[in-house]
C-alpha cells in the first residue's frame, strides 16, 4: 500500500465536503475518532476531523502518523483574522506556527515551548507552496459562484491569500480586548485558531511535512460569533473542499 496523505478538517461541515469528493472511503475508529481512508484524484488519502483544541489536535496528528504512516498532512479550517487587512472571506496559508497561550515564564521566555528552545514551528515549504497555488486558484474562481446573497451577507469582496504566522490556543477569541492584546503581544500574527500549532509540534517531532490553510470566518472580536454556522456551511466548507480538490489535482 502507498503512504497516504492526510486531509484534516477542523469542523464537521468541512470534513463532510471533503468526504463528498471521495468515492470509496472506509471508516476506522481509533481513539474515539473516525478516520476515513480512500482515494481522491488518484491519491491514497486519510481524512479526519481534528477535534477542537490543541490536545485533540495533537492526538489526531499522532494517530495519523503512528497508525496510518501518513507522509504529508494538509489541514483546512477557519480562523479569526488578526493582522491588518486580513478580512472575513480571505485565506491564510501558514508559514509558521506559535501557541499563543504557552507561557512558562519566568523559567522560559513567554511563548517558548519548554524543551524545544523555540516558540515557532515551520510549515513545510514544498507543500505550503502547492497549497498557496491551490488557494489562489480557488480565490480567483469561487467567490463569484457563491451568489450575491452570500457575498453581501458576509461583506465578501475581492478575497486575498495571505502567508505568514498563524497562532493557536485553547480559546475561541471573541472579544475586541483579547484580540487587541494578541495583536500587541504578537504583531506578526495574521490569524488565530485552536489547532494548527499543536499539529506543527507533533509534525516537528516526527519529521512529517505539514501545510495549513485557514479561511477567515471572523475578526476575533466582539462580533466573532455572528453567523458562524452559516459561514461554515455556505463559505468555508466550499473553500476547503475546492482548495483540497485543486491541491490534489496539481502536478
Ligand atoms: N461552533 C463551532 C465551534 C467553533 S470552535 C461548532 O459548533 O463546532 C472554533 C473553531 O474555529 C476552531 O476549530 C478554531 O480553530 C476556529 N476559529 C475560528 N475563529 C476563531 C477565533 N476567533 N478564535 C479561535 N478559534 C477560531
Amino acid at each position: 500500500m502507498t503512504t497516504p496523505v492526510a486531509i484534516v478538517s477542523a469542523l464537521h461541515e468541512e470534513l463532510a465536503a471533503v468526504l463528498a469528493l471521495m468515492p470509496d472511503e472506509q471508516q476506522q475508529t481509533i481513539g474515539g475518532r473516525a478516520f476515513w481512508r480512500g482515494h481522491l484524484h488518484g491519491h491514497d488519502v486519510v481524512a479526519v476531523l481534528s477535534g477542537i483544541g490543541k490536545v485533540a489536535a495533537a492526538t489526531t496528528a499522532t494517530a495519523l502518523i503512528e497508525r496510518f504512516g501518513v507522509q504529508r498532512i494538509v489541514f483546512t479550517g477557519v480562523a479569526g483574522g488578526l493582522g491588518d487587512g486580513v478580512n472575513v472571506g480571505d485565506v491564510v496559508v501558514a508559514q509558521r506556527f506559535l501557541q499563543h497561550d504557552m507561557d512558562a515564564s519566568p523559567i522560559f521566555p513567554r511563548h517558548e515551548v519548554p524543551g524545544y528552545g523555540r516558540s515557532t514551528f515551520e510549515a513545510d515549504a514544498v507543500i505550503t507552496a502547492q497549497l498557496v497555488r491551490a488557494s489562489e486558484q480557488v480565490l480567483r474562481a469561487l467567490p463569484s459562484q457563491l451568489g450575491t446573497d452570500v457575498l453581501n451577507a458576509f461583506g465578501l469582496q475581492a478575497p486575498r491569500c495571505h502567508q505568514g504566522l498563524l497562532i493557536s490556543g485553547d480559546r475561541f477569541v471573541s472579544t475586541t480586548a483579547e484580540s487587541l492584546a494578541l495583536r500587541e503581544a504578537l504583531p506578526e500574527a495574521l490569524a488565530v485558531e485552536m489547532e494548527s500549532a499543536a499539529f506543527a509540534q507533533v509534525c516537528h517531532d516526527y519529521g512529517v511535512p505539514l501545510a495549513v490553510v485557514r479561511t477567515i470566518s471572523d475578526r476575533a472580536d466582539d462580533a466573532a460569533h455572528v453567523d458562524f454556522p452559516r459561514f461554515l456551511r455556505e463559505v468555508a466548507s466550499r473553500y476547503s473542499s475546492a482548495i483540497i480538490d485543486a491541491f490534489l489535482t496539481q502536478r
Side-chain angles (χ1 to χ4, degrees), residues 11 52 78-80 171-173 193-195 214 217-218 220 228:
L11 300 159
I52 292 173
V78 291
R171 298 180 62 80
F172 184 76
V173 180
E193 35 82 312
M194 302 175 69
E195 298 86 18
R214 293 272 178 170
S217 55
D218 59 87
F228 192 71

Side-chain angles (χ1 to χ4, degrees), residues 75-230:
F75 194 127
T76 72
V78 291
L82 290 177
D84 287 331
V86 180
N87 298 316
V88 172
D90 286 1
V91 156
V92 170
V93 179
Q95 286 176 328
R96 50 195 204 290
F97 308 91
L98 175 145
Q99 297 170 41
H100 68 75
D101 55 356
M102 176 59 76
D103 189 355
S105 62
I107 306 167
F108 296 94
R110 188 177 176 196
H111 299 133
E112 181 171 311
V113 183
Y116 290 78
R118 55 155 81 200
S119 55
T120 57
F121 294 90
E122 309 285 311
D124 178 75
V126 174
I127 49 173
T128 296
Q130 292 170 342
L131 203 54
V132 168
R133 275 205 303 282
S135 302
E136 285 175 343
Q137 187 184 323
V138 167
L139 286 182
R140 277 193 298 273
L142 189 61
S144 62
Q145 296 166 21
L146 294 175
T148 21
D149 270 10
V150 174
L151 296 180
N152 292 339
F154 297 104
L156 306 182
Q157 1 162 304
R160 293 173 51 202
C161 177
H162 309 264
Q163 293 178 65
L165 178 66
L166 192 57
I167 63 175
S168 314
D170 286 326
R171 298 180 62 80
F172 184 76
V173 180
S174 59
T175 65
T176 304
E178 201 183 344
S179 167
L180 286 173
L182 283 175
R183 290 179 57 156
E184 203 170 279
L186 296 160
E188 285 173 51
L190 294 180
V192 59
E193 35 82 312
M194 302 175 69
E195 298 86 18
S196 298
F199 258 79
Q201 187 174 333
V202 174
C203 285
H204 170 85
D205 288 345
Y206 284 93
V208 171
L210 170 71
V212 175
V213 59
R214 293 272 178 170
T215 304
I216 301 303
S217 55
D218 59 87
R219 277 288 303 175
D221 57 11
D222 297 332
H225 60 287
V226 176
D227 266 349
F228 192 71
R230 185 177 175 204

